[in-house]
Amino acid sequence: MLSYPHGPPRSMDLGVGNFALQPSLVGDLYGGGDLLRSVSGPTEADKPMIIELAVAAMEELIRMAQAGEPLWVPSPDSSTEILSEEEYLRTFPRGIGPKPLGLKSEASRESAVVIMNHISLVEILMDVNQWTSVFSGIVSRAVTLEVLSTGVAGNYNGALQVMTAEYQVPSPLVPTRENYFVRYCKQHADGTWAVVDVSLENLRPSTIFRCRRRPSGCLIQEVPNGYSKVVWIEHVEVDDRAVHNIYRPLVNSGLAFGARRWVATLDRQCERLASAMANNIPAGDIGVISTSEGRKSMLKLAERMVMSFCTGVGASMAHAWTTLSGSGADDVRVMTRKSMDDPGRPPGIVLSAATSFWLPVPPKRVFDFLRDENSRSEWDILSNGGLVQEMAHIANGRDPGNSVSLLRVNSANSSQSNMLILQESCTDFTGSYVIYAPVDIVAMNVVLSGGDPDYVALLPSGFAILPDGPTHHGGIPEAKSSGSLLTVAFQILVDSVPTAKLSLGSVATVNSLIKCTVERIKSAVGCENA
């Protein structure tokens, strides 16, 4: 019987058999040729052309951000704007050349006022580690290959860097998008900052690319009280034929990769960061956290848990998923990872399993069901029907669904000790997450007293809940989106020896665990009307 590990993370006895699997049977996280790192920086001969491209891209971004009709025209239902491709080509005849055959154009624009000052925002965009952390739901990996200019006078004005990045949707059914680009940051005469990306794939004529970025990025304007007004442009050309049918309406609507998702994520993360910086303990917080240090430590641990979940759930080039059964959309995909010398993960062989499927229920209902500790026993097989109590609660956003909790599962079996689960739930109108990980009680006490959270071993599991098509603003839509796209992802330590062979039994057990969880969720959220 599977259960959560009690005490320190250790190997789980997954029972059946010990047939050594061939390495080719289950994809390995580091098995897929790592394209991001194999791209070298630009040659000296390329640099003048890169600078020229960046300057032209900056000019284009500003005009794209400020223009109205006829460049941007309202969509038929007036809910968004659509870029007129004819008008675009007339306005910007130069740039990176005509659209390659087989690629489809996606363009979107969105603006918002966010709770962060303009200097911090520029820093997040120009520091690759902060950028991948803040946008971990969208950016699965990114590397700065070369800094051509650090900017002037101690800030990022004039900074220029060559980067690669991989963009994702939290599901193995949507292929990631990779780009090789230059990012350029400039402060304009009126005080506005702008950060623009433009593809450099043209400098690599021999490589086949499925996606390229026309000038994309954002304008950042200072507004009073430490807020910023942001105008975001996303403009890409992509081959999206490999997107699974159930995700097609979402990708086509721009909610998967478009400006609305970037801005919604930024807005949500700015709230989350503002909450983490708070020195007082807000009234919404309850439970065992008594100091602001303990609160910050717990939020930092939750942030690492969310990042770890997001990087392992998409169809990244860096890891090969292996499909276990059939060929339908709801297949379970698995991969293994050897974990060694990483204080933030338990050592051994980790088996990750994920599946995505459609539910005829609005995203808000699915999200509220999965985040509520009172309904946890209805789907969480590993808690074995134990009573779940919330020990601590940190509200970290305006929506009550945005919070970090520490849950205690009181074992129904008196011979077993109780255990703790760290959980973060977060939501915006483009998607929601409920992510959790069992945590060691001793390690958690160190965190709650303000200790370093980096040495707490975590293996996050959880859910990504996306709308199944276009939505309007204002929280998670109830009426506009008829159903949800749910990704369920588990990570389980199947052997505490990193060099051990994976057994077929453990794969079968994790497969049945995920299938049972899916069935329980379907029956609990009322899919009788399916």
Side-chain angles (χ1 to χ4, degrees), residues 3 5 39 42 85 87 139 144 179 204 237-238 330 361 370 387 452 478 489 501:
S3 66
V39 176
E85 281 197 56
E87 194 60 38
V139 181
T144 299
N179 281 134
R204 302 246 179 291
E237 289 162 344
V238 63
D330 59 351
V361 178
L370 291 171
L387 175 72
D452 184 357
E478 280 287 8
K501 286 273 188 285

Side-chain angles (χ1 to χ4, degrees), residues 111-125 191-193 218-231 263 266-267 270:
S111 58
V113 173
V114 296
I115 181 168
M116 182 174 285
N117 72 55
H118 59 296
I119 306 293
S120 302
L121 267 181
V122 167
E123 194 174 306
I124 283 171
L125 296 170
T192 303
W193 286 84
C218 67
L219 262 59
I220 303 163
Q221 205 177 344
E222 186 180 7
V223 292
N225 303 324
Y227 285 73
S228 300
K229 183 183 181 204
V230 173
V231 181
V263 168
L266 178 64
D267 186 32
C270 286

